[in-house]
Amino acid sequence: MKRSAENRAADVRRIVLAARDVAASRDAIMDEIIRSSGLSREGVELAFEKHLELFPEDAEIASLVAAAGDAERVAVILSANVFVGALRALAIARAASADVVVRPSKRDPAFARALVRAAALRGDSSLQLDEDLDVAAIHRGQIHVYGRDETIAAVAAKSHVPVVGHGSGMGIAWISHRADFDAAAAALANDVVAFDQRGCLSPRIALVEGDDTCATSFGGTLHEALERLGRVVPRGFVPAAERADSERYVSTMTYAGKALVGSAHVVAIAPSSSPLVLPPSYRHVHVTSSANAGAATGRIAHLSRAIVAVGSDDIDSARRLAPSWARLSKLGWMQRPPFDGPVDHRVSMSASV
């Protein structure tokens, strides 16, 4: 029998309550999350306190339920980049189906495991863990995959059921000519520091309305803001490959523009005449100027498909350059979207044979 919207919403609320239970007892899994996520202890605490959706509005849950669709069964394949993302992923799956199986990330499974167990203690027997789930053995329902585009493609190639892919993405910031640079930089620093800039909503480029002098001024202010916040929320472990990417980026930007290297971040300032360079994650921000929002649209055109979020001090102005599918938010809220469905509005279905 098809479940009503009210029943689906009740199932979602029960998972949210389970997440509150996990958050309340997080000391039991804190060390494991620190080891597996690579975040600092302060970074993990920040994720629990500011980015775990523990009190969604009824309207948000109704929107999530409406967006989830309907499936006989949902298998969820989770990624490791943003550990609290498991809550939204499981809520969407549970809204879509009364039969959900979850394969946590092998690299960062602690929160997802704890969430499924907490949901079971609250009476949800329709949500199960399967850490060895074989996608090729699934013959009914659909698969929700979170991770790199390559991972989604690999799952789709093996699958016999439709695959919903939640892939790689990035955020950008638009700093209007009306912005108070101190306030905008402090807010943007919060967006960058969350999850060490590894989520699909994480801003990696800041476009400053005006000329190169404006970009230089804002870049210096952002550098100072990131340095201050880095003392409060230290950056976590940076793998060797990412350290090498950082060194290459700094070298490139030292030649092409200016690189401000902090204790745990890099702000690169590039002239508007230079190509737009996508920096690596782990707290790297590429700052450049654009005469106006229309000109900025042209500068980011080659990256538009990857842009999932746009943050700004001026939403109306930012709307002119944001791709139609991108989430718009005030600076400081890019990593805290409403609990209204997938964070990535590009999500599409692809069926395999």
Side-chain angles (χ1 to χ4, degrees), residues 70-238:
D70 186 62
E72 178 185 1
R73 188 174 193 248
V74 174
V76 183
I77 312 296
L78 293 173
S79 70
N81 286 349
V82 176
F83 73 89
V84 298
L87 170 57
R88 189 181 297 248
L90 299 195
I92 292 168
R94 199 63 183 80
S97 181
D99 184 1
V100 176
V101 60
V102 182
R103 190 179 81 185
S105 162
K106 293 189 186 306
R107 289 192 293 122
D108 194 8
F111 178 78
R113 286 174 181 161
L115 182 57
V116 172
R117 290 167 185 159
L121 290 174
R122 283 193 170 266
D124 192 341
S125 60
S126 298
L127 185 60
Q128 302 292 327
L129 278 172
D130 186 347
E131 306 211 21
D132 298 310
L133 181 67
D134 180 3
V135 297
I138 298 172
H139 293 277
R140 61 187 179 91
Q142 56 187 224
I143 302 173
H144 296 185
V145 187
Y146 294 79
R148 296 179 303 168
D149 296 342
E150 296 86 350
T151 301
I152 296 168
V155 170
K158 296 178 182 178
S159 176
H160 304 286
V161 299
V163 171
V164 182
H166 303 257
S168 303
M170 57 173 282
I172 64 170
W174 171 246
I175 314 301
S176 80
H177 68 274
R178 302 179 182 87
D180 176 318
F181 278 6
D182 287 333
L188 179 57
N190 284 315
D191 291 324
V192 171
V193 163
F195 311 110
D196 284 347
Q197 204 188 24
R198 289 159 51 199
C200 68
L201 302 176
S202 299
R204 293 164 68 182
I205 292 172
L207 294 161
V208 183
E209 187 173 23
D211 58 17
D212 288 350
T213 301
C214 295
T216 298
S217 177
F218 180 77
T221 305
L222 178 61
H223 170 61
E224 293 171 359
L226 284 167
E227 191 67 30
R228 288 193 300 270
L229 189 54
R231 289 192 288 269
V232 178
V233 185
R235 185 170 61 178
F237 173 75
V238 181

Side-chain angles (χ1 to χ4, degrees), residues 27-49:
D27 286 349
I29 57 173
M30 178 64 72
D31 289 342
E32 185 178 357
I33 292 176
I34 292 169
R35 287 193 301 271
S36 59
S37 71
L39 297 171
S40 65
R41 182 173 296 274
E42 294 84 353
V44 174
E45 283 288 353
L46 177 66
F48 272 110
E49 290 295 326

Side-chain angles (χ1 to χ4, degrees), residues 304-328:
S304 63
R305 181 59 186 166
I307 296 171
V308 177
V310 176
S312 181
D313 64 285
D314 184 345
I315 298 298
D316 289 338
S317 175
R319 190 171 282 112
R320 295 174 55 198
L321 63 91
S324 60
W325 55 83
R327 283 184 176 270
L328 283 165

